[in-house]
Amino acid sequence: MNGTTGMISMALLAAGLLTSSMPAVAASEADFKAAFAAAEAAEKEAGGLRNQWTTTESALAAAKKAAAVGDFDSATASAKEAEALARASVFQATSEKERWRDLEIH
Amino acid sequence: MRARGVIQLALLAFLALAALMVAVPPVRAVDAQGPAADAKAFRDYFVSKFPKVKLEDFVNGPYSMNEDMRRQWEEKEQFPPYEFALEAGREMFSKPFGNGKTYADCFPNGGIGIRQNYPYFDAKEGKVVTLELALNRCREVNGEAPYSYLKDEMASLTAYMAFTSRGKPFDIKIPDDPRALAAYENGKRYFYTRRGQLNFSCAGCHVQAPGERLRAETWRPRSASSTRCRSIVPNGAAWAPQADASSPATARPARYRSSRNPTNIAISNIICPT
């Protein structure tokens, strides 16, 4: 694995996950909607790169499910997690456009 | 779906070439950096990595590098656990379509002993044709609905056809055609590109990690397998219906199995060289 790429990728992911798990004041429906929209936009970008992750889809689904029962704390947290995952997948797809050659056998 | 198919076909073209390096000498050098050069690099890499494994034994994958596993495999072959799928495939292959024709009418030599010639590049169409694609075309031409590439019917059918090719080395030709070479390059890029949350590529396991263990399994070198080469290796080597046929590894390009899959978690413990 390319060390720098991997570390940056993991750092992005960790930052996203950390942010999503930080305690905060109770989230509102508006918070959820904003977080979900951001996550969906990032996931759409990943889709454009043909690199959507199942984990992102799971987080989005979890966000929707939680929002449906009015648990906007969990819904917002899941949406933020989904956004972090989607952004990481975008990063991966972008960097791998050239990085894949690093693994090639010559 | 169409794009997915294109990627799948391109990957198959590349993987088939990897099988070639063991099965037969490269057909010809397309160019210095092309398929022939890649095949040589693959061969040199794995021969160097596993100096005790005979070249012709690489095709047996992990059984070529672990005596216990080889013995278990040979014993298992006396009462193969996959026979039911072969039998199902044979029946499907023989059963006439609604119009009275059969698969045998669509293929050279009645479809027997031809698996090693797929995939091939169809110059007329300008695309790679896999055995699975050819089978579905045969079905459609004869008024039948195509099979899913991911389900048991296709797996059993291709397993049977592959079984009839046992002992015959792959004979995949990559013509000096820009479209064929583009397909090859697409497959090559796909093989090496990392994807999914755990940041793995095909090469991550089958180039960097062969010989390492994943729980009870030993990674086989890429040189030992293409998508289905175990089905047709010389000396009647192992065949695993679900693992070989319909090849999930090549059929899920855009989305991957959940990283929450315990198997994937175990993979993450493998340390790959940088």
Side-chain angles (χ1 to χ4, degrees), chain B residues 8 22-23 35 45 50 66 77 81 87 96 103 124 157 192 199 215 217 228 239 242 251 259 264 273:
Chain B
Q8 184 180 349
V22 170
Y45 173 83
F50 300 101
N66 184 308
E77 280 292 287
E87 183 59 25
Y103 291 108
K124 196 174 175 182
L157 197 53
Y192 283 112
N199 210 31
R215 293 186 175 168
E217 303 297 329
R228 289 164 185 78
W239 174 76
Q242 296 305 320
S259 60
N264 282 351

Side-chain angles (χ1 to χ4, degrees), chain B residues 94-109:
Chain B
S94 307
K95 186 179 177 183
F97 300 128
N99 64 5
K101 292 191 175 181
T102 66
Y103 291 108
D105 295 313
C106 298
F107 293 93
N109 199 39

Side-chain angles (χ1 to χ4, degrees), chain A residues 66-92:
Chain A
V69 296
D71 183 357
F72 293 113
D73 280 346
S74 296
T76 304
S78 292
K80 286 182 176 177
E81 180 186 353
E83 184 187 359
L85 289 166
R87 289 194 184 286
S89 66
V90 168
F91 175 85
Q92 180 187 59

Side-chain angles (χ1 to χ4, degrees), chain B:
Chain B
M1 189 63 196
R2 189 184 179 91
R4 175 182 294 189
V6 170
I7 290 176
Q8 184 180 349
L9 295 177
L11 182 63
L12 282 169
F14 176 68
L15 295 182
L17 182 98
L20 256 185
M21 62 151 282
V22 170
V24 294
V27 176
R28 58 176 160 164
V30 174
D31 61 58
Q33 301 299 317
D38 286 345
K40 182 180 184 309
F42 256 70
R43 186 196 308 246
D44 292 348
Y45 173 83
F46 286 110
V47 166
S48 170
K49 190 176 178 72
F50 300 101
K52 292 181 181 175
V53 177
K54 292 179 183 174
L55 189 61
E56 62 273 18
D57 204 22
F58 271 103
V59 75
N60 294 322
Y63 308 126
S64 67
M65 45 188 82
N66 184 308
E67 277 302 313
D68 285 343
M69 288 182 70
R70 187 179 196 105
R71 194 162 48 248
Q72 289 175 38
W73 161 51
E74 288 170 349
E75 287 174 1
K76 192 166 62 179
E77 280 292 287
Q78 294 180 25
F79 299 98
Y82 49 77
E83 277 185 327
F84 74 96
L86 290 181
E87 183 59 25
R90 189 189 66 75
E91 287 180 14
M92 290 163 65
F93 188 83
S94 307
K95 186 179 177 183
F97 300 128
N99 64 5
K101 292 191 175 181
T102 66
Y103 291 108
D105 295 313
C106 298
F107 293 93
N109 199 39
I112 301 301
I114 60 162
R115 201 274 170 268
Q116 70 281 0
N117 299 323
Y118 290 83
Y120 69 90
F121 183 78
D122 188 319
K124 196 174 175 182
E125 284 189 82
K127 64 191 291 187
V128 178
V129 177
T130 63
L131 179 61
E132 292 78 2
L133 177 63
L135 280 165
N136 268 344
R137 283 180 172 177
C138 180
R139 291 183 59 77
E140 291 179 303
V141 160
N142 287 291
E144 305 288 332
Y147 282 139
S148 163
Y149 290 107
L150 302 176
K151 295 190 176 173
D152 289 353
E153 292 93 344
M154 184 62 83
S156 295
L157 197 53
T158 53
Y160 168 70
M161 292 182 75
F163 197 78
T164 68
S165 280
R166 270 194 166 186
K168 298 184 178 183
F170 272 111
D171 187 19
I172 310 299
K173 296 176 177 63
I174 302 177
D176 191 6
D177 180 318
R179 299 166 301 174
L181 294 174
Y184 170 82
E185 283 298 323
N186 282 340
K188 178 178 172 179
R189 184 176 64 245
Y190 196 87
F191 179 76
Y192 283 112
T193 296
R194 294 181 180 280
R195 53 180 61 80
Q197 191 187 355
L198 296 183
N199 210 31
F200 286 119
S201 66
C202 307
C205 294
H206 294 286
V207 172
Q208 295 173 321
E212 304 289 343
R213 295 188 76 97
L214 168 64
R215 293 186 175 168
E217 303 297 329
T218 301
W219 287 112
R220 57 174 39 213
R222 177 72 271 159
S223 64
S225 57
S226 80
T227 53
R228 289 164 185 78
C229 78
R230 273 195 297 167
S231 302
I232 62 166
V233 294
N235 308 318
W239 174 76
Q242 296 305 320
D244 280 350
S246 90
S247 189
T250 59
R252 46 180 150 133
R255 290 167 182 255
Y256 280 75
R257 303 296 182 207
S258 169
S259 60
R260 291 169 186 165
N261 179 331
T263 301
N264 282 351
I265 292 168
I267 292 171
S268 69
N269 293 327
I270 294 173
I271 299 171
C272 298
T274 54

